[in-house]
């Protein structure tokens, strides 16, 4: 092997190694939280490409498929993308992408900056770390730092917090928009299963939206009807209620909304935004 060929080979090897190292070390942080994903971001044509679903969910956008397109939606923003298509749509306006979305290892990769900025987020690059800042949630003019969820089992309970603006805002809006008709407080409601009184309610979970000092800015408790009596004796009792504790008001609430909140929390858990504060479940 002559010297010139060796130098050329070494240069190519170092270039490939450098590219691989960048892809391996490059991280994404959203609101200070490192994204937990087995599909790492990578560079393509000098653009950072990221796995679609985990990024979209962490920015508070829903992900749906329609024919061959993927639709991302959040509030009044709707983005349409298609695999191997360089034209995207943002609220009906066509946008030319520098890099086409593509599939790798059964994951769809999309340009990070385009997705983040489409949903009003700020993007910065510092020492191979991509930082994204999303719009925070404010309640009565005070910024929400985290959402604390508490639930209890037969023996023990769990207290956990979500640190992610998009998740917290989405859950807060779920409570605000899905409160039904205002009702009177039930006669019996608690963490305990009251089995000997018809129309008793069991608290499924408690949600506190906390300020930076850990003070609750708003709290919602979700209750389910305890069904230990025949259905005919429980006809007049709603299935699910929500207690707006901050205002001491009760509303009808749907089981669908409750399940949607659980799904959002599950996504936050999988994507690295949830921290367990205490777990005393035996």
């Amino acid at each position: 092997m002559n010297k010139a060929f060796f130098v050329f080979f070494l240069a190519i090897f170092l270039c490939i190694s450098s590219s691989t190292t960048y892809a391996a070390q490059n991280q994404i942080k959203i609101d200070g939280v490192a994204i937990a994903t087995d599909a790492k971001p990578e560079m393509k044509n000098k653009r950072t490409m990221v796995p679609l679903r985990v990024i979209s969910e962490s920015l508070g956008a829903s992900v749906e498929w329609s024919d061959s397109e993927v639709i991302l939606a959040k509030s009044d923003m709707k983005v349409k993308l298609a695999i191997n298509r360089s034209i995207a749509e943002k609220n009906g306006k066509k946008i030319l992408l520098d890099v086409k979305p593509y599939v790798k290892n059964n994951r769809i990769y999309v340009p990070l900056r385009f997705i983040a900025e489409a949903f009003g987020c700020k993007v910065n690059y510092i020492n191979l770390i991509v930082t994204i800042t999303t719009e925070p949630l404010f309640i009565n003019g005070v910024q929400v730092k985290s959402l604390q969820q508490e639930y209890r089992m037969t023996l023990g309970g769990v207290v956990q917090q979500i640190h992610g603006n998009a998740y917290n805002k989405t859950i807060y809006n779920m409570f605000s928009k899905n409160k039904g008709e205002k009702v009177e407080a039930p006669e019996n409601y608690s963490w305990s299963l009251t089995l000997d009184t018809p129309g008793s309610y069991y608290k499924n979970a408690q949600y506190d939206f906390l300020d930076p000092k850990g003070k609750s800015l708003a709290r919602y408790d979700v209750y389910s009807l305890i069904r230990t009596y025949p259905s005919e004796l429980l006809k007049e009792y709603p299935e699910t209620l929500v207690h707006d504790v901050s205002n001491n008001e009760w509303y009808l609430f749907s089981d669908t909304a409750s399940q949607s909140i659980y799904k959002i929390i599950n996504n936050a858990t999988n994507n690295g935004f949830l921290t367990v504060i205490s777990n005393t479940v035996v």
Side-chain angles (χ1 to χ4, degrees):
M1 180 183 296
N2 61 45
K3 184 176 181 180
F5 181 81
F6 176 77
V7 171
F8 174 77
F9 177 81
L10 181 61
I12 294 295
F13 175 78
L14 291 175
C15 180
I16 294 174
S17 298
S18 175
S19 176
T20 303
T21 301
Y22 179 85
Q25 293 180 349
N26 196 17
Q27 287 186 328
I28 299 176
K29 286 188 175 182
I30 298 181
D31 298 330
V33 178
I35 299 300
T37 174
D38 57 354
K40 296 295 183 182
E42 57 186 39
M43 296 298 291
K44 192 174 182 68
N45 296 342
K46 298 182 180 180
R47 294 291 182 266
T48 303
M49 306 296 288
V50 292
L52 171 68
R53 184 170 292 276
V54 63
I55 293 299
S56 300
E57 290 176 347
S58 299
L59 297 181
S62 62
V63 182
E64 295 182 1
W65 281 94
S66 177
D67 297 327
S68 60
E69 292 183 323
V70 61
I71 301 173
L72 312 178
K74 178 183 177 182
S75 300
D76 58 351
M77 177 59 66
K78 181 177 290 186
V79 173
K80 293 183 180 181
L81 299 160
I83 297 170
N84 295 323
R85 186 188 298 172
S86 59
I87 300 296
E89 286 188 18
K90 188 168 68 173
N91 278 357
K93 181 181 179 181
K94 295 186 183 300
I95 305 291
L96 179 64
L97 302 176
D98 293 328
V99 182
K100 300 176 183 178
Y102 59 88
V103 177
K104 182 177 180 180
N105 297 330
N106 295 320
R107 304 293 176 87
I108 300 174
Y109 279 77
V110 293
L112 170 62
R113 184 174 291 276
F114 169 75
I115 297 297
E117 293 183 348
F119 294 107
C121 305
K122 297 180 180 179
V123 183
N124 288 298
Y125 298 85
I126 303 175
N127 298 327
L128 299 183
I129 297 178
V130 181
T131 62
I132 302 175
T133 305
T134 66
E135 185 180 2
L137 168 65
F138 288 87
I139 298 178
N140 297 325
V142 181
Q143 182 175 337
V144 171
K145 182 67 175 178
S146 62
L147 166 60
Q148 181 166 290
Q149 181 204 40
E150 179 178 353
Y151 62 90
R152 298 183 184 178
M153 309 293 281
T154 304
L155 294 174
V158 176
V159 178
Q160 52 194 19
Q161 291 183 357
I162 297 175
H163 299 271
N165 294 332
Y167 290 106
N168 295 339
K169 182 179 290 188
T170 301
I171 293 174
Y172 182 77
N173 289 337
M174 288 293 297
F175 281 117
S176 300
K177 295 179 180 179
N178 288 278
K179 290 189 296 186
E181 179 184 346
K182 191 174 181 179
V183 296
E184 295 294 327
E187 292 185 9
N188 295 286
Y189 58 93
S190 70
W191 286 111
S192 303
L193 286 171
T194 305
L195 305 178
D196 56 354
T197 305
S200 296
Y201 285 82
Y202 174 74
K203 186 195 286 192
N204 296 326
Q206 174 177 310
Y207 301 86
D208 281 281
F209 294 86
L210 306 178
D211 69 7
K213 295 182 179 180
K215 179 182 177 182
S216 180
L217 298 170
R219 175 177 145 191
Y220 293 95
D221 297 347
V222 178
Y223 289 84
S224 290
L225 177 65
I226 299 173
R227 291 193 161 276
T228 54
Y229 283 80
S231 298
E232 55 268 20
L233 296 180
L234 301 175
K235 287 182 180 179
E236 62 183 283
Y237 300 104
E239 189 70 31
T240 308
L241 297 174
V242 61
H243 183 197
D244 180 349
V245 179
S246 303
N247 298 305
N248 194 24
E249 296 174 338
W250 288 79
Y251 298 89
L252 299 180
F253 204 61
S254 70
D255 184 62
T256 300
S258 294
Q259 294 303 318
S260 296
I261 290 172
Y262 291 144
K263 182 178 179 180
I264 295 167
I265 292 176
N266 184 62
N267 290 340
T269 303
N270 293 336
N271 296 336
F273 286 84
L274 185 141
T275 302
V276 175
I277 305 302
S278 68
N279 185 343
T280 59
V281 176
V282 178

